[in-house]
Amino acid sequence: MIQKFTTQIFKAIKTDFVKVSAWSAVSTLIRMITGFVSIKVVAQIIGPSGIALVGQFINSITLIGTLGTGCVGQGVTKYIAEHYDEPEKQKRIIVNSVRITLVSTIIMSLLVILFYKYIGSSIFKTNQYNSIILLFGVSIGLYSFNTLFISILNGFKAFKKFVIVNVASSIAGLILSIILVLQFGVYGALLNCVVSQSVIIAITLFFIRKEHWFSSIFSFAKTDTQTLKKLGKFTIMALTSVILVPLSQIAVRSYIADRISMDSAGLWEAMNRISGMYLVFITTSISTFYLPRLSELKENFHLKQEIIKTMKIVLPPLALVCLTIFLTRDILIHLLFTQKFEAMRELFALQMVGDFFKMAAWLIAFLFWAKAMLRTFIITEIIFNVSYVLFARMGVDAMGLPGSVYAYALNYTLYFIVVIFIFRKTLVAKNI
């Protein structure tokens, strides 16, 4: 029994997913450290209410910024990986994605610049930070094209360079964050969310300038209708997530702030930040390797093998990490935050349950993207984002702040069950 288990472990270590994860481990570690330092500084200076405000702004600029990319990132990664042996098709994908991003960026920039006062008052309930919204409107293109370039890099499986870009960006972002927060407090934390993009894209451009595909960005080749249709499907899928996920988080955060307090909303946001910090290792590996890999596979049996293999590698360590975080929650609150955040200790148990089922579900749900299942993806996204908000409202009304994490755990457990049902034929497929 022990020998069989040991053999399985060694086989897992040799898998491509683990090799890529090893490459991304350095990047992930740096991001975790920089995230740790950044959140400690921010929490120390601006407190729970400031954390809530920053979280609200991040959700908003993620929504607007990703709309500025044309939402083609996942499609670009998929089709570049899928056509790994067809350079001309890859070039068409790059050329057309650049044009989509350019048009989308111009539209979103103009909208934000024209309505910056309304957007600022809607997000912050004050006109105090309108200048930041205006600056964001001017700089959306930096965010959009950085996202696109990273997606292209990912599609070509340039894992080493992908890691280097992430490490350099994380370090630069940390330095900028500390300087701005120390200098300007809450205003500096919000300003960092915008200004950091100009630094990050400069780093990305420096590292990709010699890539063989880089010249395709400036190509004047004819727009290809078929490629636009392919990318358009992914635009709709990404658009669904980009709109619904931030809006659901904004809705939950706002409801907690209205029903309980802004500080409680800050505790909820801080709990999400902890989840984001440790789950980054898995999400980085998934975005770097998993989607391109699933996109290459055609047969259900091979897809099943890849999913099961990856779940065996990811889920046992994830369960152990979740348990460890729960058991050391008091130490983590002391290290990451201040005494003002001690009340969040009661949120950890259900948050860890939700995180586990969220990642388990995602490993299967990436088939939506690999198979380009537009209609089913949109339906499930709408249902589970709406259900999360409804569960959270009911939970907060019944139990206060802990009700929000009960809702989170329940929602992702149900989502996990549903995606298993949707892909049941793939998950039991046999080799023909």
Side-chain angles (χ1 to χ4, degrees):
M1 187 72 178
I2 296 174
Q3 185 178 2
K4 184 179 179 182
F5 178 76
T6 306
T7 304
Q8 289 179 338
I9 292 295
F10 278 111
K11 283 183 179 179
I13 291 172
K14 293 180 181 179
T15 64
D16 289 335
F17 183 85
V18 173
K19 290 175 183 177
V20 174
S21 296
W23 273 111
S24 65
V26 176
S27 169
T28 305
L29 183 60
I30 295 294
R31 288 176 67 184
M32 288 179 68
I33 293 172
T34 55
F36 169 87
V37 176
S38 178
I39 199 170
K40 180 68 176 181
V41 172
V42 172
Q44 193 80 34
I45 295 172
I46 66 179
S49 59
I51 290 284
L53 200 62
V54 171
Q56 201 80 334
F57 184 49
I58 288 173
N59 283 149
S60 301
I61 64 173
T62 299
L63 170 59
I64 297 169
T66 311
L67 289 174
T69 68
C71 303
V72 295
Q74 296 281 32
V76 169
T77 298
K78 170 185 163 55
Y79 288 119
I80 288 177
E82 188 175 291
H83 300 298
Y84 63 92
D85 56 348
E86 299 173 283
E88 278 305 310
K89 287 188 177 181
Q90 290 178 327
K91 182 178 179 180
R92 286 202 295 269
I93 291 162
I94 294 171
V95 170
N96 286 275
S97 64
V98 167
R99 289 174 186 174
I100 292 171
T101 301
L102 182 61
V103 172
S104 301
T105 294
I106 292 171
I107 292 171
M108 292 310 300
S109 292
L110 288 174
L111 287 174
V112 173
I113 291 168
L114 288 172
F115 300 103
Y116 77 96
K117 290 182 180 179
Y118 173 77
I119 295 171
S121 60
S122 298
I123 296 173
F124 303 118
K125 311 301 180 186
T126 175
N127 294 322
Q128 186 179 353
Y129 305 112
N130 282 354
S131 58
I132 293 178
I133 302 296
L134 186 59
L135 179 61
F136 174 60
V138 174
S139 63
I140 285 177
L142 301 173
Y143 176 91
S144 300
F145 280 97
N146 186 69
T147 302
L148 177 62
F149 296 154
I150 292 296
S151 298
I152 295 171
L153 199 64
N154 196 10
F156 280 106
K157 296 186 176 181
F159 301 133
K160 294 180 185 178
K161 193 155 288 189
F162 186 89
V163 168
I164 292 170
V165 169
N166 275 298
V167 169
S169 299
S170 296
I171 294 172
L174 171 64
I175 295 170
L176 192 61
S177 173
I178 292 173
I179 292 171
L180 291 175
V181 172
L182 289 175
Q183 190 70 28
F184 303 108
V186 175
Y187 190 91
L190 297 172
L191 185 62
N192 174 65
C193 298
V194 176
V195 176
S196 60
Q197 293 305 318
S198 59
V199 176
I200 291 172
I201 193 171
I203 292 169
T204 303
L205 285 170
F206 176 80
F207 283 107
I208 68 172
R209 70 192 191 284
K210 293 183 180 179
E211 290 291 312
H212 68 277
W213 51 264
F214 188 68
S215 60
S216 300
I217 293 169
F218 308 101
S219 173
F220 291 99
K222 186 179 178 181
T223 300
D224 182 60
T225 307
Q226 287 301 113
T227 302
L228 288 178
K229 285 181 180 178
K230 282 184 175 181
L231 292 175
K233 186 177 286 190
F234 279 85
T235 295
I236 296 170
M237 291 174 72
L239 194 61
T240 305
S241 290
V242 163
I243 292 174
L244 292 176
V245 173
L247 284 181
S248 65
Q249 291 186 336
I250 289 170
V252 172
R253 192 185 295 107
S254 297
Y255 194 77
I256 293 170
D258 292 340
R259 283 296 179 129
I260 309 175
S261 68
M262 183 60 82
D263 278 356
S264 293
L267 298 180
W268 178 84
E269 176 65 23
M271 190 69 253
N272 287 332
R273 291 290 188 92
I274 289 177
S275 291
M277 283 174 60
Y278 84 89
L279 291 179
V280 70
F281 180 81
I282 299 172
T283 55
T284 300
S285 298
I286 288 174
S287 63
T288 307
F289 170 79
Y290 196 54
L291 177 59
R293 177 59 180 156
L294 291 183
S295 299
E296 290 176 342
L297 301 174
K298 309 298 181 186
E299 300 296 329
N300 279 342
F301 175 73
H302 295 134
L303 286 166
K304 180 191 80 171
Q305 282 187 314
E306 191 66 37
I307 292 168
I308 292 175
K309 180 173 65 178
T310 305
M311 291 183 84
K312 286 180 178 179
I313 296 166
V314 170
L315 296 185
L318 175 61
L320 182 60
V321 171
C322 288
L323 178 61
T324 303
I325 289 173
F326 170 72
L327 294 175
T328 60
R329 60 194 182 281
D330 292 318
I331 298 172
L332 286 173
I333 293 171
H334 176 73
L335 286 175
L336 292 173
F337 304 103
T338 65
Q339 290 183 342
K340 295 179 181 179
F341 290 81
E342 285 183 357
M344 66 183 287
R345 73 182 309 274
E346 61 187 350
L347 306 180
F348 274 79
L350 272 298
Q351 182 78 15
M352 294 302 103
V353 172
D355 285 347
F356 179 84
F357 282 105
K358 180 180 182 178
M359 288 297 102
W362 276 15
L363 290 174
I364 302 171
F366 258 79
L367 284 172
F368 285 129
W369 297 91
K371 290 173 172 281
M373 295 172 62
L374 176 63
R375 184 182 301 176
T376 311
F377 175 80
I378 290 175
I379 292 171
T380 54
E381 284 293 293
I382 291 172
I383 290 173
F384 283 98
N385 276 282
V386 171
S387 65
Y388 175 46
V389 175
L390 293 176
F391 288 155
R393 290 170 72 98
M394 290 188 291
V396 168
D397 287 343
M399 294 175 278
L401 185 58
S404 62
V405 288
Y406 274 89
Y408 177 72
L410 173 61
N411 203 57
Y412 274 109
T413 302
L414 292 175
Y415 183 59
F416 176 66
I417 294 169
V418 168
V419 293
I420 287 177
F421 177 78
I422 291 171
F423 294 109
R424 62 194 182 280
K425 291 183 180 178
T426 301
L427 295 175
V428 297
K430 296 181 180 180
N431 195 11
I432 299 173

